[in-house]
Amino acid sequence: MNLFADIRALVIDSLVTLTAEGVLPEGLDFANVAVEPPRDASHGDMATNAAMVLAKPAKANPRAIAEALSAKLAADDRITVAEVAGPGFLNMRLAPVVWQQVTAAALAQGTDFGKSDLGQGTKVNIEYVSANPTGPLHVGHTRGAVFGDALASLLAYSGYDVTREYYINDAGAQVDVLARSVYLRYLEANGKEVAFEDGTYPGDYLIPLGQALADIKGDSIVDAPESEWLEEIREFATDAMMHLIRQDLAMIGIEMDVFYSEKTLYGTGQIEGAITALEKQGLIYQGTLPPPKGKLPEDWEPREQTLFKSTDHGDDVDRPVKKSDGSWTYFAPDIAYHYTKIERGFDMLIDVFGADHGGYVKRMKAAVSALSAGEVPIDIKLTQLVKLFKNGEPFKMSKRAGTFVTMRDVIEQVGPDVTRFVMLTRKQDAPLDFDFAKVTEQSKDNPVFYVQYAHARVHSVLRKAVEAGINVDAVTLQAADLSGLTHEAEIDVAKKIAEWPRLVEIASRTNEPHRIAFYLYELASEFHGLWNRGNEETQLRFIQEGDDATSQSKIALASAVAVVISAGLGILGVNPVEEMR
RNA sequence: GCACCCAUAGCUCAGCUGGAUAGAGCGCUGCCCUCCGAAGGCAGAGGCCGCAGGUUCGAAUCCUGCUGGGUGCGCCA
């Protein structure tokens, strides 16, 4: 039940009626008519801009339209007041019964309250994490992982058919580096002195791999040339790394639907196929790119390459798909990979990249646009850096030195729930400060705690009610008579609950799961406020001694809050707690 | 040099794809526990929404140009 959609439907109906009656001219477009909560609560429960939007095309005074609309709306039972304000706003006040109905709907639908068919089964592919299989996930990956996963859940909740996908970069030079690094560890396990020079991964996490290899191989390839072991060790090492990465992901509750290997694009004609598809459109040519303006790289010299005319699809310069030696650039298999997404029948693509891939966005969009004839939209979300702090002291990570902070480190210290929530309390394109001390603090300074606390308080009430012999099982609460919930403080909580479906819709349309986190904070705030008013005004307490029926209605409201919090946390991938410890 | 992202209270950030007097938390000043958990709540002070133009009935939001910060810029992935 989306109250805002219901009221908007009522407004549109009224406008249609007014058109039929000749008050409004025929053929007006109502698409821009919005029904939203006014910023200032004193203006009422809902406001519509209908009169202002229609004034110009209807060639009429906005206030006059608003007056006419007001008369129609006031006839509906749900609306107690519909008054014209300002330049032509129509402010509506809704009857208490409306809020009681919303509360009942939330209880009846449980965590499905807020689900919609907005997506209409649209097949959407969300690619996220996609970290190189050269080591464990670090904090930077964590943000993209959490963001992508929450977005996937959000879209699924809104009726999209979601596929969570991870692209394994297991074919580039970086996996050769991995193989050589593992080989060094293997030599080490065989008692050799080795040096980790630039261009190798010195991290400790490869030591067990070297040992495992030594256990299998003994010293048989200690003196062998690279050509004899490279391929085998590469395979061995990337498999091991992907195993590690899956474990890391599992720690934070992420399970991918598809792991897509870059390697499988080679030797199967898929890269060639994708490039041919572009070629047929005349978008592939031999050419020489102009040098980057400004500071010229020392070793720059003009070279002829195979280029993709991405400028035809909104890019700034054309991009090479082949290096000057004729081998594919990284971009080529990426084009082929996205081509497979189109061919696999996805209607919509979302890529979640780290901010350092910002320069990649336009060419990827250009490729998808060209390959799908503009039919498949692609949204690319860049996640900004996570700055780590410990007691206010920042600490850095350096992959080269092998001293980066892993996702595992973070999860082990603060837990998956806190990590996920904190990383979602910021827009993904803004940098995030993550302070180990602060995120585990139990105070309202910490939004995770604050929201969890509200949920726990509801369950505390439920426990107390049971102790007091009040029946608060789900069926009883759903059947409770809520007509007594008329106090302003209670209505305010119900109003917040009513916003949930609308909020979900907005978050889905914008691909912005952080809105869920902020909403939950606001809902928790309303609930804490009501709770505390019970201190002074005892009639607002949830448990009314000797009056089970009243208690049940108030507890029903509290339970509705818990249901929505639970649904919201579910989208974020956070487990609601029933008790604080 | 070019492209993308960002700029909102002392600090950290929201702001519902253009709405009315721009909101939270922290910090600061007060107040509220005999009371379902005060791990909370209430109130107050605090703003040229980076600057300058433009579009509009109406702009923090859209457009243009600046300023300042981040990221990236052929033969890495």
Side-chain angles (χ1 to χ4, degrees), chain A residues 70-247:
Chain A
S70 164
K72 294 286 176 214
L73 294 176
D76 194 278
D77 287 346
R78 291 169 288 182
I79 292 170
T80 54
V81 180
E83 59 189 6
V84 184
F89 282 102
L90 188 54
N91 292 329
M92 294 169 270
R93 274 171 215 287
L94 273 51
V97 65
V98 173
W99 307 114
Q100 293 154 7
Q101 281 168 359
V102 171
T103 304
L107 269 186
Q109 295 174 38
T111 50
D112 284 352
F113 175 67
K115 273 195 181 171
S116 71
D117 63 347
L118 182 74
Q120 298 184 314
T122 301
K123 282 189 68 178
V124 54
N125 178 295
I126 306 187
E127 180 203 336
Y128 55 109
V129 193
S130 294
N132 285 346
T134 53
L137 298 177
H138 58 68
V139 214
H141 297 129
T142 314
R143 189 168 188 194
V146 166
F147 172 81
D149 204 53
L151 177 56
S153 300
L154 171 62
L155 293 183
Y157 195 74
S158 292
Y160 288 83
D161 178 2
V162 176
T163 297
R164 298 159 199 250
E165 188 156 318
Y166 185 120
Y167 180 53
I168 309 171
N169 290 114
D170 52 5
Q174 78 284 356
V175 284
D176 287 344
V177 172
L178 173 72
R180 291 189 193 104
S181 305
V182 169
Y183 183 70
L184 289 175
R185 291 298 185 188
Y186 160 79
L187 293 180
E188 223 173 28
N190 274 289
K192 303 277 185 189
E193 285 276 332
V194 296
F196 287 87
E197 290 159 6
D198 268 6
T200 55
Y201 301 133
D204 289 349
Y205 60 90
L206 294 180
I207 294 175
L209 260 75
Q211 186 59 54
L213 202 58
D215 291 345
I216 301 166
K217 293 274 176 191
D219 61 359
S220 63
I221 55 172
V222 166
D223 296 313
E226 184 175 295
S227 58
E228 280 178 29
W229 50 258
L230 185 67
E231 198 168 328
E232 188 185 352
I233 295 185
R234 190 170 56 204
E235 189 101 349
F236 172 79
T238 50
D239 282 355
M241 289 301 108
M242 282 314 297
H243 182 70
L244 188 67
I245 286 169
R246 282 173 206 246
Q247 282 182 329

Side-chain angles (χ1 to χ4, degrees), chain A residues 523-543:
Chain A
L523 177 61
S525 180
E526 286 291 345
F527 180 75
H528 287 310
L530 173 61
W531 178 288
N532 268 75
R533 281 187 72 163
N535 289 341
E536 294 283 332
E537 301 161 65
T538 54
Q539 78 276 12
L540 288 177
R541 294 186 189 177
F542 296 103
I543 295 174

Side-chain angles (χ1 to χ4, degrees), chain A residues 162-405:
Chain A
V162 176
T163 297
R164 298 159 199 250
E165 188 156 318
Y166 185 120
Y167 180 53
I168 309 171
N169 290 114
D170 52 5
Q174 78 284 356
V175 284
D176 287 344
V177 172
L178 173 72
R180 291 189 193 104
S181 305
V182 169
Y183 183 70
L184 289 175
R185 291 298 185 188
Y186 160 79
L187 293 180
E188 223 173 28
N190 274 289
K192 303 277 185 189
E193 285 276 332
V194 296
F196 287 87
E197 290 159 6
D198 268 6
T200 55
Y201 301 133
D204 289 349
Y205 60 90
L206 294 180
I207 294 175
L209 260 75
Q211 186 59 54
L213 202 58
D215 291 345
I216 301 166
K217 293 274 176 191
D219 61 359
S220 63
I221 55 172
V222 166
D223 296 313
E226 184 175 295
S227 58
E228 280 178 29
W229 50 258
L230 185 67
E231 198 168 328
E232 188 185 352
I233 295 185
R234 190 170 56 204
E235 189 101 349
F236 172 79
T238 50
D239 282 355
M241 289 301 108
M242 282 314 297
H243 182 70
L244 188 67
I245 286 169
R246 282 173 206 246
Q247 282 182 329
D248 283 352
L249 289 174
M251 277 189 87
I252 203 165
I254 292 175
E255 210 172 309
M256 294 287 171
D257 297 313
V258 176
F259 284 89
Y260 201 100
S261 160
E262 178 188 3
K263 211 168 49 186
T264 62
L265 295 167
Y266 285 88
T268 54
Q270 289 186 83
I271 298 176
E272 293 77 3
I275 301 302
T276 303
L278 291 174
E279 204 160 13
K280 280 181 185 158
Q281 300 181 41
L283 294 172
I284 298 291
Y285 69 101
Q286 298 297 316
T288 307
L289 284 175
K293 299 221 166 68
K295 50 180 189 224
L296 204 62
E298 287 292 320
D299 57 345
W300 195 89
E301 56 182 80
R303 282 190 183 133
E304 195 178 71
Q305 294 174 281
T306 305
L307 301 171
F308 164 46
K309 202 167 185 343
S310 56
T311 46
D312 272 14
H313 289 266
D315 204 354
D316 309 304
V317 288
D318 293 339
R319 307 290 177 175
V321 293
K322 273 188 183 175
K323 302 174 191 172
S324 47
D325 68 2
S327 63
W328 298 116
T329 61
Y330 173 73
F331 188 35
D334 235 13
I335 292 173
Y337 170 51
H338 280 77
Y339 195 30
T340 74
K341 292 187 192 178
I342 297 166
E343 289 183 317
R344 281 182 279 156
F346 291 105
D347 306 310
M348 186 172 141
L349 308 181
I350 298 176
D351 286 353
V352 180
F353 292 160
D356 55 340
H357 285 62
Y360 216 67
V361 172
K362 282 193 175 183
R363 76 189 71 168
M364 211 61 254
K365 285 187 172 176
V368 170
S369 165
L371 290 168
S372 72
E375 292 292 308
V376 178
I378 175 165
D379 189 9
I380 299 181
K381 293 287 188 184
L382 300 178
T383 57
Q384 273 292 346
L385 296 176
V386 177
K387 286 184 250 172
L388 289 178
F389 294 87
K390 208 162 199 169
N391 307 318
E393 189 84 1
F395 55 86
K396 303 216 180 235
M397 51 179 182
S398 156
K399 196 165 186 175
R400 193 168 302 166
T403 58
F404 53 85
V405 179

Side-chain angles (χ1 to χ4, degrees), chain A residues 438-457:
Chain A
K438 220 169 189 176
V439 299
T440 48
E441 192 176 286
Q442 302 210 329
S443 75
K444 64 178 172 179
D445 188 19
N446 180 357
V448 196
F449 167 77
Y450 189 81
V451 171
Q452 290 281 30
Y453 185 33
H455 188 265
R457 274 184 153 174

